[in-house]
Short mmCIF file of all heavy atoms in Angstrom, two decimals:
data_model
loop_
_atom_site.label_atom_id
_atom_site.label_comp_id
_atom_site.label_asym_id
_atom_site.label_seq_id
_atom_site.Cartn_x
_atom_site.Cartn_y
_atom_site.Cartn_z
N MET A 1 99.78 44.47 117.63
CA MET A 1 98.78 45.35 118.25
C MET A 1 98.93 45.33 119.76
O MET A 1 99.28 44.31 120.33
CB MET A 1 97.37 44.88 117.89
CG MET A 1 97.01 45.06 116.44
SD MET A 1 96.62 46.77 116.04
CE MET A 1 95.03 46.96 116.86
N TYR A 2 98.64 46.46 120.36
CA TYR A 2 98.76 46.57 121.81
C TYR A 2 97.47 47.13 122.41
O TYR A 2 96.80 47.95 121.78
CB TYR A 2 99.93 47.49 122.19
CG TYR A 2 101.26 46.95 121.74
CD1 TYR A 2 101.78 47.30 120.50
CD2 TYR A 2 101.98 46.07 122.54
CE1 TYR A 2 102.99 46.79 120.06
CE2 TYR A 2 103.20 45.56 122.11
CZ TYR A 2 103.69 45.92 120.87
OH TYR A 2 104.89 45.42 120.45
N MET A 3 97.19 46.67 123.61
CA MET A 3 96.05 47.19 124.36
C MET A 3 96.60 47.95 125.56
O MET A 3 97.36 47.38 126.35
CB MET A 3 95.16 46.04 124.82
CG MET A 3 94.03 46.46 125.73
SD MET A 3 92.73 47.31 124.86
CE MET A 3 91.94 45.92 124.04
N VAL A 4 96.27 49.22 125.66
CA VAL A 4 96.75 50.04 126.78
C VAL A 4 95.58 50.33 127.70
O VAL A 4 94.53 50.80 127.27
CB VAL A 4 97.33 51.38 126.26
CG1 VAL A 4 97.94 52.17 127.42
CG2 VAL A 4 98.37 51.13 125.18
N THR A 5 95.77 50.02 128.97
CA THR A 5 94.70 50.29 129.93
C THR A 5 95.25 51.08 131.12
O THR A 5 96.40 50.90 131.53
CB THR A 5 94.06 48.99 130.44
OG1 THR A 5 95.07 48.12 130.95
CG2 THR A 5 93.31 48.27 129.33
N ILE A 6 94.41 51.96 131.63
CA ILE A 6 94.75 52.76 132.80
C ILE A 6 93.82 52.36 133.94
O ILE A 6 92.60 52.34 133.77
CB ILE A 6 94.52 54.27 132.53
CG1 ILE A 6 95.15 54.73 131.21
CG2 ILE A 6 94.99 55.11 133.73
CD1 ILE A 6 96.63 54.83 131.21
N ASP A 7 94.39 52.04 135.07
CA ASP A 7 93.59 51.74 136.26
C ASP A 7 93.29 53.06 136.97
O ASP A 7 94.15 53.63 137.66
CB ASP A 7 94.36 50.79 137.18
CG ASP A 7 93.52 50.32 138.36
OD1 ASP A 7 92.56 51.02 138.74
OD2 ASP A 7 93.84 49.26 138.92
N ALA A 8 92.09 53.57 136.77
CA ALA A 8 91.72 54.88 137.32
C ALA A 8 91.72 54.89 138.84
O ALA A 8 91.89 55.95 139.46
CB ALA A 8 90.35 55.29 136.78
N GLU A 9 91.55 53.74 139.44
CA GLU A 9 91.57 53.66 140.91
C GLU A 9 92.98 53.95 141.44
O GLU A 9 93.15 54.57 142.49
CB GLU A 9 91.14 52.27 141.37
CG GLU A 9 89.70 51.90 141.03
CD GLU A 9 88.71 52.64 141.93
OE1 GLU A 9 88.99 52.74 143.12
OE2 GLU A 9 87.69 53.12 141.41
N LYS A 10 93.98 53.50 140.69
CA LYS A 10 95.38 53.70 141.11
C LYS A 10 95.93 55.05 140.67
O LYS A 10 96.81 55.61 141.34
CB LYS A 10 96.26 52.60 140.52
CG LYS A 10 96.07 51.20 141.09
CD LYS A 10 97.09 50.26 140.46
CE LYS A 10 96.94 48.83 140.95
NZ LYS A 10 97.85 47.92 140.21
N CYS A 11 95.48 55.56 139.53
CA CYS A 11 96.06 56.77 138.94
C CYS A 11 95.99 57.95 139.90
O CYS A 11 94.93 58.25 140.45
CB CYS A 11 95.33 57.09 137.63
SG CYS A 11 95.92 58.60 136.84
N VAL A 12 97.15 58.64 140.05
CA VAL A 12 97.21 59.83 140.91
C VAL A 12 97.31 61.11 140.09
O VAL A 12 97.54 62.19 140.63
CB VAL A 12 98.38 59.73 141.92
CG1 VAL A 12 98.14 58.57 142.89
CG2 VAL A 12 99.72 59.56 141.22
N GLY A 13 97.17 60.98 138.77
CA GLY A 13 97.10 62.16 137.91
C GLY A 13 98.40 62.92 137.73
O GLY A 13 98.38 64.13 137.49
N CYS A 14 99.52 62.23 137.77
CA CYS A 14 100.81 62.92 137.70
C CYS A 14 101.22 63.32 136.28
O CYS A 14 102.16 64.08 136.10
CB CYS A 14 101.90 62.05 138.31
SG CYS A 14 102.29 60.58 137.33
N ASN A 15 100.56 62.78 135.27
CA ASN A 15 100.80 63.12 133.86
C ASN A 15 102.09 62.53 133.29
O ASN A 15 102.47 62.83 132.16
CB ASN A 15 100.78 64.64 133.66
CG ASN A 15 100.68 65.03 132.19
OD1 ASN A 15 99.96 64.39 131.42
ND2 ASN A 15 101.39 66.07 131.80
N GLN A 16 102.79 61.73 134.07
CA GLN A 16 104.06 61.18 133.58
C GLN A 16 103.87 60.32 132.33
O GLN A 16 104.64 60.42 131.37
CB GLN A 16 104.72 60.32 134.68
CG GLN A 16 105.23 61.11 135.86
CD GLN A 16 106.38 62.03 135.50
OE1 GLN A 16 107.27 61.67 134.76
NE2 GLN A 16 106.33 63.24 136.01
N CYS A 17 102.85 59.49 132.36
CA CYS A 17 102.63 58.58 131.22
C CYS A 17 102.29 59.36 129.95
O CYS A 17 102.84 59.10 128.89
CB CYS A 17 101.53 57.58 131.55
SG CYS A 17 99.94 58.35 132.00
N ALA A 18 101.37 60.33 130.08
CA ALA A 18 100.93 61.08 128.91
C ALA A 18 102.06 61.90 128.32
O ALA A 18 102.22 61.96 127.10
CB ALA A 18 99.75 61.97 129.28
N SER A 19 102.86 62.52 129.18
CA SER A 19 103.94 63.36 128.66
C SER A 19 105.06 62.52 128.07
O SER A 19 105.80 62.99 127.21
CB SER A 19 104.48 64.27 129.76
OG SER A 19 105.06 63.53 130.79
N ALA A 20 105.18 61.27 128.49
CA ALA A 20 106.27 60.42 128.02
C ALA A 20 105.93 59.64 126.77
O ALA A 20 106.82 59.18 126.06
CB ALA A 20 106.68 59.45 129.13
N CYS A 21 104.65 59.48 126.47
CA CYS A 21 104.25 58.62 125.34
C CYS A 21 104.69 59.21 124.00
O CYS A 21 104.22 60.29 123.62
CB CYS A 21 102.74 58.42 125.35
SG CYS A 21 102.15 57.48 123.92
N PRO A 22 105.54 58.52 123.27
CA PRO A 22 106.00 59.06 121.98
C PRO A 22 104.91 59.05 120.91
O PRO A 22 105.01 59.77 119.92
CB PRO A 22 107.16 58.13 121.60
CG PRO A 22 106.87 56.86 122.32
CD PRO A 22 106.18 57.25 123.60
N ALA A 23 103.88 58.24 121.12
CA ALA A 23 102.80 58.16 120.13
C ALA A 23 101.65 59.12 120.45
O ALA A 23 100.69 59.21 119.69
CB ALA A 23 102.29 56.72 120.04
N LYS A 24 101.75 59.79 121.59
CA LYS A 24 100.74 60.78 122.00
C LYS A 24 99.33 60.20 122.05
O LYS A 24 98.37 60.86 121.64
CB LYS A 24 100.76 62.00 121.06
CG LYS A 24 102.10 62.67 120.93
CD LYS A 24 102.55 63.31 122.22
CE LYS A 24 103.87 64.03 122.08
NZ LYS A 24 104.54 64.28 123.35
N ILE A 25 99.21 59.00 122.56
CA ILE A 25 97.87 58.42 122.64
C ILE A 25 97.31 58.46 124.06
O ILE A 25 96.20 58.01 124.29
CB ILE A 25 97.80 56.98 122.08
CG1 ILE A 25 98.61 56.01 122.93
CG2 ILE A 25 98.24 56.94 120.63
CD1 ILE A 25 98.34 54.56 122.56
N LEU A 26 98.08 59.00 125.00
CA LEU A 26 97.59 59.13 126.37
C LEU A 26 97.40 60.61 126.68
O LEU A 26 98.17 61.45 126.23
CB LEU A 26 98.58 58.51 127.36
CG LEU A 26 98.93 57.04 127.13
CD1 LEU A 26 99.98 56.59 128.12
CD2 LEU A 26 97.69 56.18 127.24
N ALA A 27 96.39 60.93 127.46
CA ALA A 27 96.12 62.32 127.84
C ALA A 27 95.45 62.34 129.20
O ALA A 27 94.98 61.31 129.70
CB ALA A 27 95.25 62.99 126.80
N MET A 28 95.41 63.52 129.80
CA MET A 28 94.76 63.67 131.09
C MET A 28 93.33 64.16 130.89
O MET A 28 93.06 65.02 130.05
CB MET A 28 95.52 64.68 131.96
CG MET A 28 96.99 64.35 132.17
SD MET A 28 97.26 62.71 132.86
CE MET A 28 96.47 62.88 134.46
N ALA A 29 92.42 63.60 131.67
CA ALA A 29 91.02 64.05 131.64
C ALA A 29 90.47 63.92 133.05
O ALA A 29 90.53 62.85 133.67
CB ALA A 29 90.21 63.20 130.68
N ASP A 30 89.99 65.05 133.59
CA ASP A 30 89.44 65.07 134.94
C ASP A 30 90.44 64.53 135.97
O ASP A 30 90.08 63.81 136.89
CB ASP A 30 88.14 64.27 135.01
CG ASP A 30 87.04 64.90 134.17
OD1 ASP A 30 87.05 66.14 134.04
OD2 ASP A 30 86.19 64.16 133.66
N GLY A 31 91.71 64.87 135.77
CA GLY A 31 92.72 64.49 136.74
C GLY A 31 93.19 63.06 136.67
O GLY A 31 93.95 62.61 137.53
N LYS A 32 92.77 62.35 135.64
CA LYS A 32 93.20 60.96 135.46
C LYS A 32 93.73 60.79 134.04
O LYS A 32 93.30 61.49 133.12
CB LYS A 32 92.03 59.98 135.66
CG LYS A 32 91.34 60.08 137.01
CD LYS A 32 92.15 59.40 138.10
CE LYS A 32 91.39 59.43 139.42
NZ LYS A 32 92.15 58.75 140.49
N ALA A 33 94.63 59.82 133.90
CA ALA A 33 95.11 59.52 132.55
C ALA A 33 94.09 58.67 131.83
O ALA A 33 93.37 57.87 132.44
CB ALA A 33 96.43 58.77 132.65
N GLU A 34 94.01 58.87 130.52
CA GLU A 34 93.14 58.01 129.72
C GLU A 34 93.73 57.84 128.33
O GLU A 34 94.57 58.63 127.90
CB GLU A 34 91.72 58.55 129.65
CG GLU A 34 91.60 59.84 128.86
CD GLU A 34 90.13 60.25 128.68
OE1 GLU A 34 89.30 59.84 129.52
OE2 GLU A 34 89.85 60.97 127.72
N VAL A 35 93.30 56.79 127.67
CA VAL A 35 93.74 56.55 126.31
C VAL A 35 92.87 57.43 125.41
O VAL A 35 91.66 57.25 125.33
CB VAL A 35 93.58 55.07 125.93
CG1 VAL A 35 94.01 54.84 124.48
CG2 VAL A 35 94.41 54.20 126.87
N CYS A 36 93.51 58.43 124.77
CA CYS A 36 92.74 59.37 123.95
C CYS A 36 92.92 59.09 122.47
O CYS A 36 92.16 59.55 121.64
CB CYS A 36 93.17 60.80 124.23
SG CYS A 36 94.85 61.17 123.70
N GLY A 37 93.94 58.33 122.15
CA GLY A 37 94.22 58.08 120.74
C GLY A 37 93.93 56.65 120.35
O GLY A 37 93.33 55.89 121.11
N ASP A 38 94.38 56.29 119.19
CA ASP A 38 94.15 54.96 118.65
C ASP A 38 95.21 54.00 119.17
O ASP A 38 96.41 54.20 118.93
CB ASP A 38 94.21 55.05 117.12
CG ASP A 38 93.81 53.75 116.45
OD1 ASP A 38 93.67 52.73 117.15
OD2 ASP A 38 93.65 53.78 115.21
N CYS A 39 94.78 52.97 119.86
CA CYS A 39 95.73 51.98 120.38
C CYS A 39 96.53 51.33 119.26
O CYS A 39 97.61 50.79 119.51
CB CYS A 39 95.01 50.91 121.20
SG CYS A 39 94.82 51.32 122.94
N ALA A 40 96.02 51.37 118.05
CA ALA A 40 96.74 50.80 116.92
C ALA A 40 98.05 51.54 116.68
O ALA A 40 98.97 51.02 116.04
CB ALA A 40 95.88 50.83 115.67
N GLU A 41 98.14 52.77 117.19
CA GLU A 41 99.35 53.55 117.01
C GLU A 41 100.35 53.34 118.14
O GLU A 41 101.45 53.89 118.11
CB GLU A 41 99.00 55.03 116.89
CG GLU A 41 98.18 55.33 115.64
CD GLU A 41 97.82 56.79 115.50
OE1 GLU A 41 98.35 57.60 116.28
OE2 GLU A 41 97.00 57.10 114.63
N CYS A 42 99.97 52.56 119.13
CA CYS A 42 100.88 52.27 120.25
C CYS A 42 102.08 51.49 119.74
O CYS A 42 101.94 50.53 118.98
CB CYS A 42 100.15 51.46 121.33
SG CYS A 42 101.22 50.91 122.68
N LEU A 43 103.26 51.91 120.19
CA LEU A 43 104.51 51.31 119.76
C LEU A 43 104.92 50.13 120.64
O LEU A 43 105.89 49.43 120.34
CB LEU A 43 105.63 52.36 119.80
CG LEU A 43 105.34 53.67 119.05
CD1 LEU A 43 106.40 54.71 119.38
CD2 LEU A 43 105.26 53.41 117.55
N GLY A 44 104.21 49.96 121.74
CA GLY A 44 104.56 48.88 122.65
C GLY A 44 105.85 49.12 123.40
O GLY A 44 106.48 48.19 123.91
N CYS A 45 106.26 50.37 123.51
CA CYS A 45 107.56 50.70 124.09
C CYS A 45 107.59 50.57 125.61
O CYS A 45 108.65 50.55 126.21
CB CYS A 45 107.96 52.11 123.68
SG CYS A 45 106.84 53.40 124.30
N GLN A 46 106.42 50.52 126.24
CA GLN A 46 106.30 50.39 127.70
C GLN A 46 106.76 51.63 128.46
O GLN A 46 106.87 51.60 129.69
CB GLN A 46 107.05 49.16 128.22
CG GLN A 46 106.57 47.83 127.68
CD GLN A 46 105.27 47.32 128.31
OE1 GLN A 46 104.79 47.88 129.30
NE2 GLN A 46 104.70 46.28 127.74
N THR A 47 107.06 52.71 127.76
CA THR A 47 107.50 53.93 128.44
C THR A 47 106.47 54.40 129.46
O THR A 47 106.81 54.85 130.55
CB THR A 47 107.78 55.04 127.41
OG1 THR A 47 108.73 54.56 126.47
CG2 THR A 47 108.30 56.30 128.08
N CYS A 48 105.22 54.29 129.09
CA CYS A 48 104.14 54.74 129.98
C CYS A 48 104.09 53.92 131.26
O CYS A 48 104.01 54.46 132.36
CB CYS A 48 102.80 54.68 129.26
SG CYS A 48 102.46 53.09 128.49
N SER A 49 104.14 52.61 131.11
CA SER A 49 104.03 51.76 132.30
C SER A 49 105.26 51.89 133.19
O SER A 49 105.15 51.88 134.42
CB SER A 49 103.80 50.29 131.90
OG SER A 49 104.81 49.84 131.05
N ILE A 50 106.42 52.07 132.57
CA ILE A 50 107.66 52.25 133.34
C ILE A 50 107.64 53.58 134.09
O ILE A 50 108.11 53.68 135.22
CB ILE A 50 108.89 52.16 132.41
CG1 ILE A 50 109.03 50.73 131.87
CG2 ILE A 50 110.17 52.59 133.13
CD1 ILE A 50 110.00 50.60 130.70
N SER A 51 107.09 54.61 133.44
CA SER A 51 107.12 55.95 134.05
C SER A 51 106.06 56.13 135.13
O SER A 51 106.16 57.06 135.94
CB SER A 51 106.93 57.02 132.97
OG SER A 51 105.65 56.94 132.39
N CYS A 52 105.06 55.26 135.17
CA CYS A 52 104.00 55.44 136.17
C CYS A 52 104.47 55.03 137.56
O CYS A 52 104.89 53.89 137.76
CB CYS A 52 102.78 54.60 135.77
SG CYS A 52 101.43 54.78 136.97
N PRO A 53 104.40 55.95 138.52
CA PRO A 53 104.91 55.66 139.87
C PRO A 53 104.02 54.70 140.67
O PRO A 53 104.45 54.19 141.70
CB PRO A 53 104.95 57.05 140.52
CG PRO A 53 103.88 57.82 139.83
CD PRO A 53 103.88 57.32 138.41
N VAL A 54 102.80 54.49 140.20
CA VAL A 54 101.89 53.65 140.98
C VAL A 54 101.44 52.39 140.23
O VAL A 54 100.53 51.68 140.68
CB VAL A 54 100.64 54.46 141.43
CG1 VAL A 54 101.05 55.56 142.41
CG2 VAL A 54 99.90 55.05 140.24
N GLY A 55 102.06 52.13 139.11
CA GLY A 55 101.74 50.91 138.37
C GLY A 55 100.32 50.85 137.84
O GLY A 55 99.72 49.77 137.80
N ALA A 56 99.84 52.01 137.38
CA ALA A 56 98.45 52.06 136.91
C ALA A 56 98.30 51.77 135.42
O ALA A 56 97.18 51.61 134.95
CB ALA A 56 97.85 53.42 137.23
N VAL A 57 99.42 51.72 134.69
CA VAL A 57 99.33 51.54 133.24
C VAL A 57 99.77 50.13 132.85
O VAL A 57 100.82 49.66 133.28
CB VAL A 57 100.22 52.56 132.49
CG1 VAL A 57 99.95 52.49 130.98
CG2 VAL A 57 100.01 53.96 133.01
N THR A 58 98.95 49.49 132.06
CA THR A 58 99.29 48.16 131.57
C THR A 58 99.27 48.17 130.04
O THR A 58 98.33 48.69 129.43
CB THR A 58 98.26 47.12 132.06
OG1 THR A 58 98.21 47.17 133.48
CG2 THR A 58 98.66 45.72 131.62
N VAL A 59 100.32 47.64 129.45
CA VAL A 59 100.40 47.51 127.99
C VAL A 59 100.51 46.03 127.67
O VAL A 59 101.44 45.35 128.11
CB VAL A 59 101.62 48.25 127.42
CG1 VAL A 59 101.65 48.13 125.90
CG2 VAL A 59 101.60 49.72 127.83
N MET A 60 99.52 45.53 126.95
CA MET A 60 99.52 44.10 126.60
C MET A 60 99.52 43.93 125.09
O MET A 60 98.80 44.62 124.38
CB MET A 60 98.27 43.42 127.16
CG MET A 60 98.29 43.23 128.66
SD MET A 60 96.99 42.10 129.22
CE MET A 60 95.54 42.80 128.45
N GLU A 61 100.34 43.00 124.64
CA GLU A 61 100.35 42.68 123.20
C GLU A 61 99.32 41.60 122.95
O GLU A 61 99.15 40.69 123.77
CB GLU A 61 101.75 42.20 122.80
CG GLU A 61 101.90 42.04 121.30
CD GLU A 61 103.35 41.80 120.89
OE1 GLU A 61 104.18 41.54 121.77
OE2 GLU A 61 103.64 41.91 119.68
N PHE A 62 98.63 41.70 121.84
CA PHE A 62 97.67 40.66 121.51
C PHE A 62 97.65 40.40 120.03
O PHE A 62 98.27 41.14 119.26
CB PHE A 62 96.26 41.02 122.01
CG PHE A 62 95.67 42.23 121.34
CD1 PHE A 62 94.80 42.09 120.25
CD2 PHE A 62 95.95 43.51 121.82
CE1 PHE A 62 94.25 43.20 119.65
CE2 PHE A 62 95.37 44.62 121.20
CZ PHE A 62 94.53 44.46 120.12
S1 SF4 B 1 103.62 51.65 125.20
FE1 SF4 B 1 104.69 53.48 124.42
S2 SF4 B 1 103.50 54.13 122.62
FE2 SF4 B 1 102.22 52.71 123.79
S3 SF4 B 1 100.95 54.03 125.10
FE3 SF4 B 1 102.78 53.42 126.28
S4 SF4 B 1 104.29 55.08 125.95
FE4 SF4 B 1 102.68 55.26 124.37
S1 SF4 B 2 101.80 57.94 135.20
FE1 SF4 B 2 100.33 56.64 136.31
S2 SF4 B 2 99.63 57.91 138.02
FE2 SF4 B 2 100.60 59.27 136.54
S3 SF4 B 2 98.91 60.04 135.23
FE3 SF4 B 2 99.78 58.20 134.24
S4 SF4 B 2 98.51 56.48 134.98
FE4 SF4 B 2 98.16 58.22 136.35
#
């Protein structure tokens, strides 16, 4: 299982994470990224955190 968190203070709304997520669990809302889907479907691929230019996405396994 993975926990995906977005730091809204850091997020600049570039959509890179949401467009890159193969599980489609990230989306944009009010100019910020947010987790819109079920974290249980997260693959833990880290594509979102790698693609974020400001380091706003954290993926933790638990
Ligand atoms: S780790 Fe992969 S599957 Fe999980 S939210 Fe990020 S891009 Fe999507
Ligand atoms: S990649 Fe980072 S800055 Fe861009 S929308 Fe996602 S969380 Fe925000």
Side-chain angles (χ1 to χ4, degrees):
M1 291 283 289
Y2 297 91
M3 174 74 75
V4 185
T5 54
I6 311 287
D7 186 336
E9 296 286 319
K10 290 184 181 175
C11 178
V12 295
C14 69
N15 195 39
Q16 291 295 318
C17 57
S19 64
C21 176
K24 305 294 182 199
I25 66 169
L26 303 176
M28 304 304 296
D30 295 329
K32 303 283 184 179
E34 68 174 24
V35 179
C36 67
D38 187 350
C39 272
E41 295 179 10
C42 174
L43 307 170
C45 63
Q46 300 283 350
T47 303
C48 52
S49 56
I50 293 166
S51 65
C52 180
V54 295
V57 189
T58 304
V59 181
M60 288 193 308
E61 189 170 12
F62 65 96

